[in-house]
Amino acid sequence: MLEKDVTLPAPARIGKPADPCVMVIFGAAGDLTRRKLIPALYNLAKAQLLSREFAVVGVAHRPMSTDDFRKKVSDDMTKFATGEIDPDLREWFVRRMHYLTGDFGDKNIYTQLKDLLDKVDKDHSAHGNYFFYLATGSDYFGPIVEQLAAAGLMEQNNEHWRRVIIEKPFGRDIDSARALNAQLLRVATEKQIYRIDHYLGKETVQNILAFRFANGIFEPIWNRRYIDHIQISVAETVGVEGRGSYYDIAGALRDMVPNHIMQLISLTAMEPPISFQADAVRDEQAKILHAIQPFSAEEVLTKTVRGQYGEGTAGGQHVPAYRAESDVPNDSRTETFVAMKLMIDNWRWADVPFYLRTGKCMPSRNTHIVIQFRRAPFVLFRDTQVENLVPNQLVLHIQPEEGISLRFAAKAPGPIMRLGTVDMNFEYADYFGTTPSTGYERLLHDCMIGDATLFQRADMVEAGWCVVSPVLDVWKALPPRNFPNYPAGTWGPKEADELLERDGRHWRNFEK
Ligand code: BG6
């Protein structure tokens, strides 16, 4: 609900408005805030999903007054909004912004923050509900939450709630993830901690659940009897986009696999939950993550592939090598590509490989999940070359195309029996139109209404790292000797193709 003087061009609201609250953003002067958080909050306001009793307190090192911050927010909105801006709503929105300059390591700012929050809370009638968004470097996550607790800002009761949203990376291996969880859980309860993964804010990722569990025809064949294997590809055309200092320490494996790709695997492979309650869904996801067979050291050598791009050509443009990016050492051994073959040890998926790959500077931006079914028996088509019989593939297109397609064989017209491969396509935009969004709207709103379904629990994060950590250990012990090993603008090193070819399979590449 918004103030009476604001007339909104927005469509009717779908969902309940968030609770009154103050959102405190640590890292309010940074990129995530201006590119994603502010536009997402504005979109929520426009869709009437934000309480009228809402305010933001930005906290960052950069010295700024509240007026400067309001001006910055207003300018950033012009630049990064996903749709048209309503001038009245912009004014309503910007008046809710407040700012505190300070160093996150300085204890004093937490007492200053507490005083400011008392005031902002009264002025905006936020009922004492606060959530803290840590859009900061990961080293600050633990210390900030400890300081918030020490200042009494994490204490909740029947009258008000307190929550904290933590960005990635959540740890850099299994030990550091466990240590961070332990540090947070000493001063906050699991229910107060919202570990965000922006992949779960994507409509098409959420739709994996709807597709599987709201339709009767897919679930009976969603298992090892009918499915040959599954491919998950998260291909990016971009390089490291000025994030060299972060990326060179992280690498593709840490950056994408324990978080985004584990989400895609668990939603694709999980059993039907008994309800859509947060823990019912997350229990099933966690079971899958725990069932992924961890690699032995030998298996890391045969079932994982790493790559780093050298110079190449993409979209007709020359692309410099990863090692030539700023803040990347010119002998860097960090991987920008990873591929793996995982097995899930349960009755549904025994012997069904899950192949995954992700990389920077690939030929097209494309995230998709290919479910490849077993071939039909060949009796009828014994005169047809086996390799010409294309197996059925169901493809969940996550981005940039959003949709679902089914590949099957059909008779090519003519007097003899010849088979052709055809695709049946569904595109979201054709049925539901498109509502431009940042992907953070749903997640922020969920936190404001206390729904943690789309956030990571401690055990899920740790289970993801259990899969990845053995790989990191072997890779560290055996530094790559052949980097760079794929030119920018290609589908990764040849070993990634061989990973499937050894099993008589091939990646499906989508190129536009
Ligand atoms: C981020 C990674 O979490 O996800 C980036 O740190 C990556 O390296 C990005 O580019 C991909 O997100 P999206 O939404 O563009 O697929």
Side-chain angles (χ1 to χ4, degrees):
M1 294 279 292
L2 296 164
E3 280 170 6
K4 281 205 192 86
D5 57 339
V6 178
T7 40
L8 295 178
R13 169 184 1 113
I14 305 169
K16 68 170 186 171
D19 294 354
C21 59
V22 182
M23 174 179 183
V24 179
I25 307 177
F26 284 88
D31 235 28
L32 184 73
T33 304
R34 64 191 190 128
R35 283 176 191 274
K36 303 287 181 188
L37 303 181
I38 294 294
L41 289 170
Y42 176 79
N43 287 345
L44 286 174
K46 197 165 173 184
Q48 303 185 23
L49 287 168
L50 213 54
S51 168
R52 61 187 292 183
E53 291 149 342
F54 173 77
V56 168
V57 173
V59 186
H61 307 266
R62 191 191 300 178
M64 247 190 294
S65 65
T66 282
D67 280 345
D68 295 340
F69 184 56
R70 289 181 178 175
K71 164 119 187 26
K72 175 172 159 45
V73 167
S74 180
D75 293 348
D76 289 343
M77 279 167 75
T78 310
K79 246 189 181 158
F80 298 107
T82 59
E84 264 180 41
I85 298 180
D86 175 88
D88 293 337
L89 185 58
R90 180 207 289 261
E91 207 200 311
W92 177 89
F93 186 73
V94 166
R95 272 196 318 233
R96 268 144 188 80
M97 301 289 141
H98 305 266
Y99 190 78
L100 176 67
T101 305
D103 188 326
F104 308 145
D106 172 8
K107 283 190 183 147
N108 294 327
I109 68 154
Y110 298 87
T111 29
Q112 289 169 29
L113 177 62
K114 192 163 193 245
D115 295 343
L116 179 58
L117 277 169
D118 281 345
K119 183 175 175 316
V120 171
D121 185 12
K122 279 199 195 86
D123 290 351
H124 296 277
S125 317
H127 299 224
N129 298 326
Y130 307 154
F131 73 109
F132 304 93
Y133 196 114
L134 309 194
T136 66
S138 54
D139 289 349
Y140 288 116
F141 297 161
I144 289 178
V145 178
E146 279 180 345
Q147 291 297 338
L148 289 171
L153 286 166
M154 290 303 292
E155 273 163 34
Q156 49 179 13
N157 54 34
N158 291 338
E159 314 274 292
H160 64 245
W161 49 257
R162 301 288 160 86
R163 296 171 191 146
V164 55
I165 301 188
I166 297 186
E167 265 291 337
K168 66 174 267 261
F170 197 92
R172 41 179 293 109
D173 52 24
I174 181 63
D175 294 337
S176 53
R178 280 190 184 131
L180 180 54
N181 274 329
Q183 186 179 18
L184 297 175
L185 291 168
R186 271 195 293 275
V187 294
T189 64
E190 177 62 37
K191 284 201 157 47
Q192 290 179 288
I193 304 170
Y194 287 64
R195 298 174 193 78
I196 199 165
D197 183 321
H198 80 278
Y199 259 58
L200 286 176
K202 295 183 193 286
E203 286 289 340
T204 33
V205 172
Q206 293 165 32
N207 191 49
I208 299 172
L209 289 181
F211 179 77
R212 290 189 54 200
F213 303 131
N215 295 296
I217 64 169
F218 303 111
E219 219 30 44
I221 55 168
W222 208 263
N223 58 52
R224 64 192 299 273
R225 282 187 70 187
Y226 300 98
I227 294 180
D228 175 73
H229 75 274
I230 292 185
Q231 300 178 10
I232 298 182
S233 298
V234 181
E236 298 188 87
T237 47
V238 291
V240 291
E241 297 181 296
R243 295 155 74 224
S245 49
Y246 153 76
Y247 195 86
D248 201 61
I249 293 170
L253 181 58
R254 285 194 180 92
D255 189 43
M256 299 297 285
V257 179
N259 33 64
H260 310 325
I261 292 187
M262 287 297 160
Q263 298 299 337
L264 298 178
I265 294 178
S266 63
L267 294 174
T268 307
M270 68 192 263
E271 296 300 313
I274 53 166
S275 74
F276 276 126
Q277 293 292 314
D279 276 334
V281 175
R282 297 190 299 177
D283 284 347
E284 296 306 335
Q285 284 184 276
K287 280 188 208 159
I288 288 294
L289 298 174
H290 285 294
I292 298 177
Q293 291 176 15
F295 293 119
S296 64
E298 290 73 34
E299 284 170 329
V300 172
L301 302 179
T302 54
K303 295 185 176 169
T304 71
V305 173
R306 56 188 153 162
Q308 186 194 77
Y309 64 86
E311 62 178 330
T313 312
Q317 303 275 327
H318 173 256
V319 179
Y322 171 69
R323 289 177 176 181
E325 295 264 4
S326 56
D327 299 325
V328 172
N330 57 15
D331 59 352
S332 168
R333 290 169 163 182
T334 298
E335 80 287 353
T336 58
F337 175 94
V338 49
M340 291 186 187
K341 173 181 174 181
L342 296 178
M343 303 301 289
I344 296 178
D345 243 352
N346 68 13
W347 275 49
R348 188 190 278 260
W349 297 114
D351 302 325
V352 179
F354 282 63
Y355 300 99
L356 52 99
R357 64 176 169 171
T358 180
K360 301 279 186 196
C361 282
M362 311 257 92
S364 70
R365 174 169 183 252
N366 217 299
T367 300
H368 57 262
I369 303 171
V370 176
I371 290 111
Q372 178 156 325
F373 292 89
R374 292 183 184 280
R375 284 177 200 272
F378 301 122
V379 192
L380 267 178
F381 298 99
R382 67 169 66 85
D383 296 332
T384 313
Q385 277 186 337
V386 169
E387 53 275 22
N388 289 348
L389 269 188
V390 174
N392 296 128
Q393 287 185 336
L394 182 76
V395 186
L396 309 179
H397 300 271
I398 308 288
Q399 66 183 18
E401 276 73 41
E402 302 190 328
I404 294 168
S405 63
L406 180 66
R407 170 163 281 193
F408 56 95
K411 183 185 169 301
I416 53 163
M417 177 57 96
R418 278 189 312 124
L419 296 177
T421 301
V422 297
D423 287 300
M424 202 156 69
N425 289 317
F426 150 74
E427 285 188 25
Y428 274 87
D430 294 344
Y431 287 78
F432 304 116
T434 46
T435 313
S437 73
T438 64
Y440 278 73
E441 289 79 356
R442 166 81 195 264
L443 298 172
L444 291 175
H445 182 255
D446 280 358
C447 179
M448 292 186 238
I449 60 170
D451 181 349
T453 313
L454 298 179
F455 293 84
Q456 299 295 286
R457 254 181 359 205
D459 57 327
M460 297 165 75
V461 171
E462 291 178 16
W465 279 118
C466 283
V467 178
V468 165
S469 273
V471 183
L472 290 169
D473 293 343
V474 174
W475 283 4
K476 189 171 169 203
L478 298 173
R481 277 181 278 168
N482 60 346
F483 278 6
N485 60 351
Y486 71 98
T490 66
W491 288 103
K494 64 177 185 346
E495 289 83 357
D497 293 329
E498 289 164 5
L499 183 70
L500 272 72
E501 282 160 13
R502 279 203 296 274
D503 298 343
R505 300 177 173 120
H506 304 277
W507 291 108
R508 179 140 174 219
N509 295 332
F510 291 88
E511 258 173 276
K512 268 226 159 152

